[in-house]
Amino acid sequence: MTVITTIEALEALYGLPGEASLVKELDHIIPEYAAFIGASPFVGLATSGPEGLDCSPRGDLAGFVRIHDAKTLMMPDRRGNNRADSLKNIIRDPRVGLLFLVPGSGTTLRVNGRAQLSVDPDLCTSFAVEGKPARSVIVIEVEAVYFQCARAIVRSDLWNSERHVDPKSLPTPGQILAVTSAEKIDGAAYDRDWPARASKTMW
């Protein structure tokens, strides 16, 4: 297998970025970028820690990531499985990357910055949904923000419902847990009970 081991070799293969690829990157949020953040109900959150890298899906009502000012984003953290991988990473290494998706749009938005966790009661309460405040709020200092062109979304045909996979063709969470736990977890019971558990802890 032939591998690339230097930046020079990489640039020889791919060439240098064009002007549009460079001028789109800013260190603050402009109204045009704010429009994508406000329309997005789903964000990929990338973090790094001593155990390695982590990329966590984050979803809520569109606009759940709040623009505090042109250099600051705030994202609520709600109830989950309590692994808290992303949060543990942020405490030890504040560097984060976010990828905003907007259903129906091919354009995505990328944000890089540094984060910290706030448990300020008033701030958490300001993110309340159905009377339940956020457990914590990830406060992100923006260092770079830029849009990603639509090639990946177009190639994947992501929003085309005709290409959506039938969930029944995939293993269920319960089936996976039964295997990974060597049958210590009753997979059928997990799948059966999950909707009721989820409705109690959604927010």
Side-chain angles (χ1 to χ4, degrees):
M1 178 171 55
T2 302
V3 298
I4 292 176
T5 59
T6 67
I7 299 298
E8 291 77 13
L10 182 67
E11 291 177 344
L13 177 64
Y14 282 90
L16 298 176
E19 181 183 11
S21 296
L22 299 175
V23 300
K24 65 183 178 181
E25 180 177 337
L26 301 174
D27 66 354
H28 62 283
I29 299 164
I30 58 176
E32 290 77 7
Y33 286 162
F36 285 92
I37 295 171
S40 175
F42 183 89
V43 179
L45 171 64
T47 59
S48 176
E51 292 82 18
L53 303 177
D54 182 74
C55 188
S56 172
R58 301 287 165 141
D60 218 320
L61 301 177
F64 73 101
V65 176
R66 180 182 300 170
I67 301 172
H68 179 68
D69 56 45
K71 290 284 292 183
T72 312
L73 297 176
M74 296 180 172
M75 179 166 58
D77 188 74
R78 305 199 185 279
R79 296 182 180 274
N81 58 18
N82 293 332
R83 283 182 57 112
D85 294 322
S86 300
L87 307 186
K88 292 174 184 175
N89 281 348
I90 288 171
I91 289 171
R92 296 172 293 181
D93 183 342
R95 295 175 298 169
V96 297
L98 294 87
L99 178 67
F100 291 86
L101 297 180
V102 178
S105 172
T107 302
T108 59
L109 189 74
R110 297 171 64 172
V111 175
N112 297 325
R114 292 179 177 269
Q116 58 183 339
L117 300 181
S118 173
V119 291
D120 179 84
D122 291 338
L123 182 59
C124 291
T125 298
S126 74
F127 282 94
V129 176
E130 295 186 359
K132 297 179 180 180
R135 300 185 81 176
S136 64
V137 176
I138 303 172
V139 181
I140 301 156
E141 178 186 355
V142 175
E143 295 181 336
V145 53
Y146 52 98
F147 73 88
Q148 188 78 30
C149 71
R151 285 190 182 93
I153 302 297
V154 171
R155 288 169 180 158
S156 67
D157 214 5
L158 183 64
W159 307 126
N160 183 354
S161 60
E162 294 182 359
R163 292 187 177 273
H164 288 182
V165 174
D166 181 355
K168 295 179 180 179
S169 70
L170 299 171
T172 67
Q175 290 169 336
I176 295 171
L177 285 171
V179 172
T180 59
S181 70
E183 304 297 335
K184 293 179 181 178
I185 293 178
D186 184 337
Y190 183 93
D191 286 336
R192 182 184 64 245
D193 298 338
W194 187 87
R197 292 197 307 271
S199 64
K200 293 180 181 179
T201 61
M202 188 65 72
W203 309 106

